[in-house]
Amino acid sequence: MFALIDGNNFYCSCERAYRPELRQQPVIVLSNNDGCVISRSNEAKDMGIRMGVPYFQIQHLVRQGKLIVFSSNYELYADLSRRMMSTIASLVPAIEIYSIDECFASLHGLNNLHQLGHNIRSRIQQWVGIPTCVGIAPTRTLAKFCNHLAKRHRHHFNGVVVWTDWNQNIRQRALASEPVTEIWGIGRRTGHKLAAQGIHTALDFINAHTPTLRKQFGVVLERTQREMQGIPCSELITEEAGRQNIVRSRSFGNIVTNLDGLQAAVSHHITAGAAKLREQNSQAHIIGVFIYTNRFRHDLPQYNGYRITKLPQASNDTLTLNHIARHLLNSIYRPGYEYKKCGIELGGIEPVHIFRQLDLLCHSQHNHRPELMRAWDNITSRYGRSSIRLGSELQSGDWLMTRTHLSNCITTKFTEILTI
């Protein structure tokens, strides 16, 4: 048996966790640079605010006092997510973190699953302050479907749905009540193709002819069907696999027109990418840099620059990678354009312990400084990521995100800790 535990309106719930006066208020959270709505409280949904709506279209509601808005506070959300996952792990044998606000849990060997689901919800609410819903079923895909039902009918099911508690008649009614696109792994495009075959609901999908599904859509969709039929085709992944490719990018808060601003942003992304390499004990053979203008501004000249190079020797050294990235940026930079976004890509990633023939002309002592990088990671782990920064990252602040409605990092910064 598997459980899927999902935080309800997670970003909004994080903002409410330490501000109880907002519990019954309509709250929204905005995307990077305060662009559009990416999280809505139930009260905001009842007002008719759609996911993804641009902020400027609903800004008048904030001015009128009818809506409360927050910029994305990823540091707060990540910390509360960590606390939520640790709380779940205290009640189940194993978990697989699926995203920042949801995880799968193994319930192998546990009894009274309905009560367990309520225990998980109540403990997360008490220890972290985040409301959740729990779906429990014999497969991961069915657990995801049950979680959807628990969330959609949260007042009726009180946030917990256990598939095995229902008889066949109730199961078929539940499946017939949901469109096929509510099944995990079936998107809108596949849903249109299935509808052309007369498959509109989850029940239609389960009863569809399996060989025909496999022939037309492949083995992945066949596995999805079997999982919805209660036949397990996947297990929990309890250990995170090392990334094979790392991409770091972000849209700028303000238009950047000079090389200094781009270099500051690239250095920031390189620092984060190199830290991720060292965290998973790996190194990269390939590095790329890209810069974009604003493709939505048709009145302005457009330019996209991208260049990639293979390193003579794999590295996870921040100084080495930043030195190469700055050379790549210089080669693709063109003056006279208004740049909106830049990023870096690290590829050809392999474990550090894999032996490779060294380059005779490569000065390895400048390419690999494990003691220095270890000291760097120890300091940033204890005092925060911004406690050590490359000088080139401080050349300009124009690229920083616009977050005019940012809340405090209550759980991670002593200077912003809650005063009681």
Side-chain angles (χ1 to χ4, degrees):
M1 298 292 289
F2 299 91
L4 189 279
I5 304 99
D6 183 18
N8 299 340
N9 314 319
F10 185 71
Y11 289 176
C12 288
S13 296
C14 290
E15 299 290 353
R16 285 172 156 179
Y18 296 96
R19 297 187 62 180
E21 71 274 11
L22 301 180
R23 295 288 168 85
Q24 305 300 323
Q25 300 295 319
V27 176
I28 60 171
V29 175
L30 303 176
S31 63
N32 292 348
N33 298 313
D34 295 343
C36 60
V37 175
I38 58 172
S39 183
R40 307 161 294 162
S41 68
N42 293 327
E43 295 78 10
K45 295 176 184 178
D46 293 339
M47 291 176 62
I49 296 176
R50 295 175 290 106
M51 182 70 81
V53 63
Y55 176 52
F56 72 86
Q57 294 183 7
I58 57 174
Q59 199 168 11
H60 63 283
L61 297 175
V62 178
R63 290 195 296 265
Q64 294 169 6
K66 298 179 180 179
L67 185 65
I68 299 168
V69 60
F70 290 98
S71 301
S72 294
N73 188 341
Y74 298 117
E75 187 171 342
L76 174 66
Y77 307 154
D79 186 63
L80 291 185
S81 172
R82 178 188 59 80
R83 297 177 183 215
M84 185 176 105
M85 302 308 170
S86 299
T87 302
I88 297 169
S90 70
L91 288 167
V92 298
I95 67 170
E96 175 193 341
I97 299 175
Y98 180 66
S99 66
I100 192 172
D101 65 336
E102 59 184 328
C103 77
F104 288 98
S106 169
L107 307 184
H108 180 70
L110 301 180
N111 299 316
N112 198 357
L113 299 182
H114 195 272
Q115 184 59 47
L116 175 63
H118 285 289
N119 291 344
I120 292 173
R121 291 189 74 235
S122 61
R123 182 171 289 191
I124 296 172
Q125 183 68 58
Q126 181 181 6
W127 288 12
V128 190
I130 301 296
T132 56
C133 286
V134 181
I136 299 175
T139 70
R140 300 204 311 165
T141 306
L142 261 180
K144 184 88 169 174
F145 184 76
C146 289
N147 181 274
H148 165 72
L149 294 175
K151 185 174 293 187
R152 181 171 180 180
H153 308 285
R154 59 186 179 278
H155 299 301
H156 182 74
F157 296 122
N158 200 17
V160 177
V161 168
V162 182
W163 188 252
T164 51
D165 285 352
W166 292 346
N167 59 38
Q168 188 64 22
N169 182 45
I170 297 178
R171 293 178 187 179
Q172 290 193 347
R173 285 168 51 193
L175 292 166
S177 69
E178 298 297 328
V180 69
T181 49
E182 289 297 344
I183 296 175
W184 183 34
I186 298 181
R188 193 183 337 178
R189 186 175 301 178
T190 303
H192 288 319
K193 295 179 180 179
L194 290 171
Q197 305 293 326
I199 301 173
H200 301 280
T201 67
L203 183 61
D204 295 335
F205 179 71
I206 284 180
N207 295 330
H209 187 238
T210 302
T212 303
L213 274 182
R214 177 167 184 165
K215 182 178 180 180
Q216 294 182 343
F217 298 96
V219 68
V220 174
L221 203 65
E222 179 193 1
R223 289 174 181 166
T224 300
Q225 185 196 41
R226 293 191 184 280
E227 286 244 328
M228 286 297 293
Q229 293 170 343
I231 304 171
C233 297
S234 62
E235 296 294 333
L236 248 60
I237 303 173
T238 56
E239 294 185 4
E240 182 183 2
R243 297 187 185 182
Q244 299 302 308
N245 197 57
I246 295 176
V247 177
R248 297 276 309 187
S249 66
R250 184 180 295 167
S251 295
F252 304 142
N254 300 297
I255 294 298
V256 173
T257 57
N258 55 61
L259 185 59
D260 286 347
L262 293 174
Q263 286 179 339
V266 166
S267 294
H268 173 81
H269 296 318
I270 281 290
T271 301
K276 185 62 181 179
L277 286 174
R278 295 193 296 272
E279 179 185 327
Q280 64 183 34
N281 198 29
S282 62
Q283 54 191 2
H285 280 275
I286 298 171
I287 181 172
V289 175
F290 54 87
I291 53 177
Y292 297 152
T293 54
N294 191 345
R295 61 188 178 92
F296 298 105
R297 291 292 303 274
H298 302 294
D299 56 320
L300 297 176
Q302 297 294 312
Y303 171 70
N304 297 333
Y306 176 69
R307 188 170 180 184
I308 191 171
T309 187
K310 185 174 181 179
L311 306 181
Q313 182 178 334
S315 177
N316 58 20
D317 185 286
T318 301
L319 304 180
T320 297
L321 296 176
N322 182 63
H323 179 74
I324 297 172
R326 293 187 65 180
H327 278 290
L328 294 176
L329 177 63
N330 287 331
S331 68
I332 61 176
Y333 171 72
R334 300 291 182 271
Y337 291 96
E338 296 186 358
Y339 294 98
K340 182 62 177 175
K341 185 177 183 179
C342 81
I344 61 97
E345 180 179 5
L346 300 173
I349 296 175
E350 65 181 17
V352 171
H353 57 76
I354 290 182
F355 174 78
R356 296 292 183 188
Q357 179 65 47
L358 301 182
D359 192 309
L360 180 64
L361 303 179
C362 177
H363 298 288
S364 59
Q365 65 272 22
H366 300 302
N367 190 50
H368 191 55
R369 289 164 281 231
E371 294 82 5
L372 177 60
M373 292 298 105
R374 194 176 303 116
W376 182 314
D377 293 335
N378 289 338
I379 293 173
T380 55
S381 175
R382 181 171 181 178
Y383 298 105
R385 295 180 181 178
S386 60
S387 56
I388 298 181
R389 287 188 286 180
L390 295 170
S392 55
E393 187 179 338
L394 306 177
Q395 289 180 261
S396 172
D398 292 340
W399 63 276
L400 295 172
M401 279 196 300
T402 299
R403 296 193 286 183
T404 56
H405 306 283
L406 185 65
S407 59
N408 288 340
C409 297
I410 296 173
T411 63
T412 55
K413 292 184 179 179
F414 277 114
T415 56
E416 299 179 5
I417 197 169
L418 189 66
T419 302
I420 300 176

